[in-house]
Amino acid sequence: RRPNDAGILSAWVGSALVMIVTAALAVPLGVAAGLYLEEYAPKNLITNLIEINVTNLAGVPSIIYGLLALGLFIQMFGLGQTNFGAGLTLGLLILPIIIVVTPEAVRSIPQEVREAAFALGADKWQTVGGYILPAARPGILTGAIVGMSRAIGETAPIITIGALTFIAFLPPSPVGAGF
């Protein structure tokens, strides 16, 4: 209402806080789930169904995630209209994308790398953590960046939970006395 008081700082800080929560939730959880599905889970009907369902979840419209978050995070858990609730919502939105990309990046590593690590005496965890994951990092990071760019561009789930309203003030600082 008052152009002299308007600015982009509060929107920028709020968006940055939401994206920090989103990245902190979705990236480690998605990479861990993708690594488990590719390297550790037995290949059977159950894991095939899980992979198919995760792939289908990557195509669900974002408004559905917003309605889920409205019912789950806002009403059931009582988080309110906060940056944390918005970050959880967007984290759920991009989690399937990261889970789908991680096994693909791991599959792109040649089998010879695994065999060489085993020949040097590494166990399964040392092979995955020391050789496979660093080699697959570029593909995993690409998927995480694509997911984060989708998350920052999505407004429907955030509008649904009511976190995206006109705010002319900075949100409270999560760590210090102020920004």
Side-chain angles (χ1 to χ4, degrees):
R1 296 180 307 196
R2 290 179 230 97
N4 291 338
D5 296 334
I8 197 169
L9 183 62
S10 62
W12 184 79
V13 169
S15 295
L17 290 175
V18 168
M19 294 312 294
I20 287 170
V21 171
T22 301
L25 170 80
V27 173
L29 190 60
V31 170
L35 276 176
Y36 176 77
L37 284 174
E38 182 60 28
E39 292 291 327
Y40 294 102
K43 306 299 183 218
N44 56 25
L45 180 64
I46 304 281
T47 55
N48 286 340
L49 287 174
I50 290 172
E51 288 177 3
I52 290 169
N53 285 326
V54 167
T55 304
N56 287 339
L57 282 175
V60 171
S62 61
I63 191 69
I64 303 301
Y65 286 102
L67 293 173
L68 171 73
L70 178 64
L72 188 66
F73 300 140
I74 307 304
Q75 293 178 351
M76 191 175 198
F77 294 150
L79 291 178
Q81 299 173 346
T82 61
N83 289 327
F84 186 67
L88 286 175
T89 303
L90 293 177
L92 283 179
L93 177 72
I94 69 168
L95 188 62
I97 296 170
I98 297 172
I99 292 174
V100 167
V101 167
T102 300
E104 292 299 324
V106 170
R107 276 187 216 120
S108 70
I109 307 305
Q111 185 65 28
E112 288 81 13
V113 173
R114 290 174 183 81
E115 292 171 359
F118 289 138
L120 291 173
D123 61 3
K124 181 75 168 176
W125 172 244
Q126 290 171 332
T127 301
V128 170
Y131 298 98
I132 303 301
L133 192 58
R137 188 178 305 143
I140 294 170
L141 286 176
T142 301
I145 291 168
V146 167
M148 294 296 289
S149 65
R150 178 180 178 195
I152 202 164
E154 290 290 345
T155 57
I158 305 305
I159 290 173
T160 305
I161 64 171
L164 187 69
T165 57
F166 176 72
I167 299 173
F169 57 88
L170 286 174
S173 175
V175 290
F179 287 103

